[in-house]
């Protein structure tokens, strides 16, 4: 979102600091935030303690909402080339037969495939391209943060070589063992899940037989629960739960790994990329903001991988920070707007953690009797669960239809006759979609917020803005509303059942954002 006319640029205050925002950590979450802030013209310094990017995979899944974030950064086509749609999530018997199949086919609300698998170094290449395209972002490798001090109007970060970097705000995207979180004294809450798993990534050798394994398969085997799946077109992942008497140091030895992989692939057909033991946990920070320091990604929350939502939740953090920091840095909103970050993100993250734990409890059952009962319950189920997409916790008009939930992205036919996703037509920022023409009062309220925050207003069905299909119009009709106001992170702020309610909707947005 570009600064609106009449507001001071973030590059002018305070002059003495080195950056508007200093991001600690250059994984996908730090990359996404740096790219978003850089695209809005803010000065960003990224400090990464490693001397280069981490070149082995960790995360392997993201969903349609995250693809929409990548779309906003202009890298969706690059990501599509390296990511593979994940069509099916299967729960399997110990013998490999299917107990339950959860389809992920068809377009999701965000206008993309529901789920994708990817190889993380390739995704980070695409994100790095977006970051490098922003002239105001300075990425520093081998820059380890050892201390930070918060003053009234800035944060001073000390690096291992003694250099001090100052910024108006610091974002810790430095992982589960976050030094930023530790230095700020932010406590964490353990939500109760813990399990050690061997994670193995394999690259099939040229000419190897095609592997017949599902996109994602959870094997409910009480003797050793395990998972298999495609990481992308060219990579595969297996995960094996450590059970009683397993020695982690023995489990990662190649001979033991190949023994476990034996039913699917051997060393003649595949190459080990990585084998390591992870401790899956469920942890959330008590707050995601400590004065001028904010936490994102694993620094703020850690969840078991059974929904594949760990990295996705971190990128949601970045998307929310991107627009809230932008409004504060440009002077459009009071800094107290940043309190919304924890209130919005933390409840949703906890929902994802608790659902991941619920699924993990089923997967990790080692009691043969209970495991058999759960498999039978799954086999006999007649209804598939709805996609798990919890709302955000705050930053919306409570009690209104759709408020707090993810918005759809319609296809629009532009005046030139082209059909494009709405974000590509409209750009980033707050968007008010309406299926009715505005009156004078609505036009005045819209104009005021256009100046203040760059609000985009679209009357769908008016000349030049026609919807291709009925994704948006059906969504509004089913909810009994004629207008929807969408946040820059794609969540609904509020709706209007009639034209007379739109002015009040926009007024409540001004209050919610603490506009200056």
């Amino acid at each position: 979102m570009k600064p609106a006319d009449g507001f001071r640029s973030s590059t002018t205050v305070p002059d003495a600091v080195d950056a508007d925002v200093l991001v600690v950590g250059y994984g996908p979450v730090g990359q996404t935030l740096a790219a978003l802030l850089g695209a809005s013209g803010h000065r960003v310094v990224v400090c990464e303690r490693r001397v280069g990017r981490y070149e082995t995979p960790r995360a392997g899944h993201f969903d349609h909402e995250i693809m929409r974030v990548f779309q906003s950064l202009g890298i969706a086509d690059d990501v599509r080339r390296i990511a593979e749609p994940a069509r099916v999530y299967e729960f399997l018997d110990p013998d490999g037969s299917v107990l339950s199949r959860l389809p992920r086919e068809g377009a999701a609300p965000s206008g993309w495939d529901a789920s994708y698998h990817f190889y993380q170094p390739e995704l980070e290449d695409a994100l790095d391209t977006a970051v490098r395209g922003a002239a105001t972002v300075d990425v520093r490798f081998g820059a380890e943060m050892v201390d930070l001090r918060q003053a009234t109007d800035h944060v001073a970060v000390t690096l291992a070589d003694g250099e001090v970097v100052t910024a108006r705000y610091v974002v810790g995207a430095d992982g589960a063992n976050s030094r930023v979180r530790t230095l700020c004294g932010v406590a964490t809450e353990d939500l109760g899940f813990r399990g050690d798993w061997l994670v193995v990534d394999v690259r099939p050798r040229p000419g190897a037989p095609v592997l017949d394994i599902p996109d994602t398969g959870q094997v409910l085997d009480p003797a050793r629960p395990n998972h298999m799946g495609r990481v992308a077109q060219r990579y595969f992942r297996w995960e094996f739960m450590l059970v009683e008497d397993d020695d982690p140091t023995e489990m990662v030895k190649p001979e033991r790994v190949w023994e476990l992989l034996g039913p699917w692939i051997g060393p003649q057909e595949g190459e080990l990329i990585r084998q390591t033991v992870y401790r899956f946990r469920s942890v959330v920070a008590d707050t995601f903001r400590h004065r001028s320091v904010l936490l994102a990604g694993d620094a703020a929350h850690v969840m078991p991988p059974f929904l594949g939502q760990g990295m996705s939740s971190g990128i949601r953090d970045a998307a929310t920070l991107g627009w809230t920091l932008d409004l504060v840095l440009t002077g459009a909103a009071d800094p107290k707007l940043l309190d919304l970050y924890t209130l919005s993100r933390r409840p949703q993250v906890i929902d994802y953690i608790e659902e991941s734990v619920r699924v993990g409890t089923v997967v990790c059952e080692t009691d043969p009797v209970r495991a058999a009962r759960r498999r039978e319950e799954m086999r006999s189920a007649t209804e598939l669960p709805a996609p798990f997409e919890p709302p955000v916790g705050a930053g919306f008009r409570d009690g209104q239809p759709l408020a707090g939930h993810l918005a759809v992205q319609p296809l629009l036919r532009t005046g030139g006759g082209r059909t494009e996703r709405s974000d590509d037509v409209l750009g980033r920022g707050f968007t008010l979609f309406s299926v009715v023409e505005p009156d004078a009062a609505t036009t005045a309220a819209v104009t005021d917020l256009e100046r203040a925050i760059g609000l985009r207003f679209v009357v769908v069905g008016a000349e030049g803005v026609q919807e291709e299909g009925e994704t948006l119009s059906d969504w509004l009709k089913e909810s009994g509303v004629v207008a929807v106001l969408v946040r820059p992170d794609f969540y609904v702020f509020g709706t209007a059942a009639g034209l007379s309610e739109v002015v009040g909707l926009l007024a409540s947005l001004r209050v919610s954002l603490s506009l200056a």
Side-chain angles (χ1 to χ4, degrees):
M1 214 176 349
K2 297 294 184 185
D5 291 342
F7 284 99
R8 54 203 173 114
S9 168
S10 64
T11 60
T12 63
V13 284
D15 291 330
V17 298
D18 300 306
D20 298 314
V21 179
L22 187 150
V23 178
V24 182
Y26 197 58
V29 175
Q31 289 178 304
T32 301
L33 180 59
L36 288 169
L37 293 173
S40 295
H42 302 298
R43 297 174 299 155
V44 180
V45 171
V46 182
C47 292
E48 167 56 54
R49 66 180 180 85
R50 297 180 182 276
V51 296
R53 296 213 315 275
Y54 199 94
E55 291 300 329
T56 56
R58 285 91 69 213
H61 169 270
F62 64 82
D63 62 24
H64 57 95
E65 181 184 350
I66 305 311
M67 188 58 138
R68 193 172 178 183
V69 176
F70 298 152
Q71 177 192 350
S72 74
L73 293 174
I75 59 171
D77 287 342
D78 293 334
V79 173
R80 288 178 77 179
R81 281 191 284 272
I82 59 94
E84 180 175 313
R87 307 292 191 190
V88 176
Y89 189 125
E90 294 179 341
F91 291 91
L92 307 174
D93 253 327
D95 65 5
S97 59
V98 176
L99 289 165
S100 178
R101 179 178 286 116
L102 307 180
R104 294 166 164 171
E105 297 176 338
S110 300
W112 296 94
D113 281 286
S115 292
Y116 295 84
H117 286 154
F118 68 98
Y119 185 65
Q120 186 165 334
E122 295 177 343
L123 177 65
E124 291 191 19
D125 283 343
L127 285 166
D128 185 65
T129 298
V131 174
R132 303 293 178 175
T136 57
V137 180
D138 175 17
V139 179
R140 305 181 185 181
F141 288 102
E144 182 178 3
M145 187 205 71
V146 296
D147 196 18
L148 65 80
R149 294 283 186 270
Q150 297 198 58
T152 302
D153 60 354
H154 72 278
V155 183
V157 169
T158 303
L159 304 181
D161 63 2
E163 181 184 4
V164 176
V165 183
T166 57
R168 293 177 65 185
Y169 294 95
V170 168
V171 177
D174 53 339
N177 298 316
S178 170
R179 183 169 291 175
V180 173
R181 187 187 66 235
T182 300
L183 289 171
C184 289
V186 175
T188 60
E189 179 184 359
D190 191 327
L191 299 180
F193 185 91
R194 184 173 299 229
D196 293 340
W197 283 65
L198 171 68
V199 180
V200 181
D201 287 292
V202 176
R203 180 190 293 112
R205 298 187 187 278
V210 176
L211 290 174
D212 182 21
I213 67 173
D215 287 347
T216 301
Q218 300 284 2
V219 183
L220 307 187
D221 183 355
R224 186 183 297 282
N226 62 89
H227 159 273
M228 69 189 81
R230 301 172 184 272
V231 176
Q233 296 97 327
R234 299 169 300 286
Y235 307 94
F236 296 85
R237 175 170 294 173
W238 283 266
E239 297 171 348
F240 302 92
M241 192 175 105
L242 271 61
V243 294
E244 189 176 1
D245 298 329
D246 279 337
D247 181 347
T249 60
E250 293 295 320
M251 292 293 287
V252 298
K253 291 182 177 180
E255 57 269 25
R256 179 60 175 137
V257 172
W258 285 119
E259 180 183 346
L260 291 167
L261 295 178
W264 302 279
I265 194 170
Q268 293 77 30
E269 296 86 32
E271 171 192 359
L272 295 179
I273 301 172
R274 175 191 69 146
Q275 67 267 24
T276 189
V277 172
Y278 274 114
R279 172 155 291 176
F280 296 162
R281 297 183 296 155
S282 56
V283 177
V284 62
D286 289 351
T287 180
F288 296 180
R289 181 190 182 193
H290 183 267
R291 296 170 57 192
S292 296
V293 177
L294 303 116
L295 303 174
D298 286 356
H301 44 78
V302 177
M303 65 186 71
F306 303 107
L307 291 183
Q309 287 294 330
M311 185 195 76
S312 292
S313 292
I315 290 179
R316 292 186 189 97
D317 296 343
T320 300
L321 279 176
W323 69 263
T324 52
L325 279 169
D326 176 63
L327 289 177
V328 171
L329 291 168
T330 59
D334 188 276
K336 68 182 180 182
L337 173 65
L338 297 177
D339 289 336
L340 178 67
Y341 174 54
T342 298
L343 297 173
S344 179
R345 295 292 312 127
R346 191 173 186 272
Q348 188 193 52
V349 164
I350 290 175
D351 284 344
Y352 273 116
I353 292 175
E354 290 178 342
E355 180 67 6
S356 296
V357 169
R358 187 192 69 78
V359 175
T361 300
V362 173
V363 172
C364 297
E365 181 59 71
T366 56
D367 180 270
V369 175
R370 287 196 297 266
R373 184 167 61 247
R374 285 176 172 169
R375 292 198 304 273
E376 186 54 38
E377 291 170 353
M378 195 171 290
R379 186 181 288 109
S380 60
T382 58
E383 293 186 8
L384 295 175
F388 187 77
E389 294 175 348
V392 291
F396 56 86
R397 241 185 150 185
D398 197 19
Q400 290 196 321
L402 306 176
H405 291 270
L406 191 64
V408 302
Q409 179 179 198
L411 294 173
L412 300 180
R413 292 197 300 271
T414 63
R418 299 178 60 187
T419 297
E420 300 182 66
R421 294 180 176 89
S422 61
D423 293 353
D424 291 332
V425 176
L426 304 173
R428 292 190 294 123
F430 282 91
T431 304
L432 176 63
F433 288 102
S434 174
V435 293
V436 295
E437 293 285 347
D439 56 16
T442 301
T443 298
V446 166
T447 301
D448 177 55
L449 283 175
E450 284 176 340
R451 286 194 294 260
I453 61 172
L455 174 74
R456 295 93 50 87
F457 176 47
V458 181
V459 180
V460 177
E463 185 177 350
V465 188
Q466 297 287 333
E467 183 180 7
E468 179 73 23
E470 298 178 330
T471 298
L472 177 69
S473 53
D474 283 352
W475 184 58
L476 297 181
K477 186 184 300 182
E478 289 169 3
S479 299
V481 300
V482 300
V484 59
L485 181 55
V486 181
R487 302 184 341 182
D489 56 3
F490 318 127
Y491 285 87
V492 174
F493 173 79
T495 55
L499 180 61
S500 61
E501 296 182 6
V502 175
V503 171
L505 174 63
L506 296 178
S508 65
L509 176 64
R510 174 175 281 280
V511 173
S512 176
L513 297 182
S514 304
L515 294 187

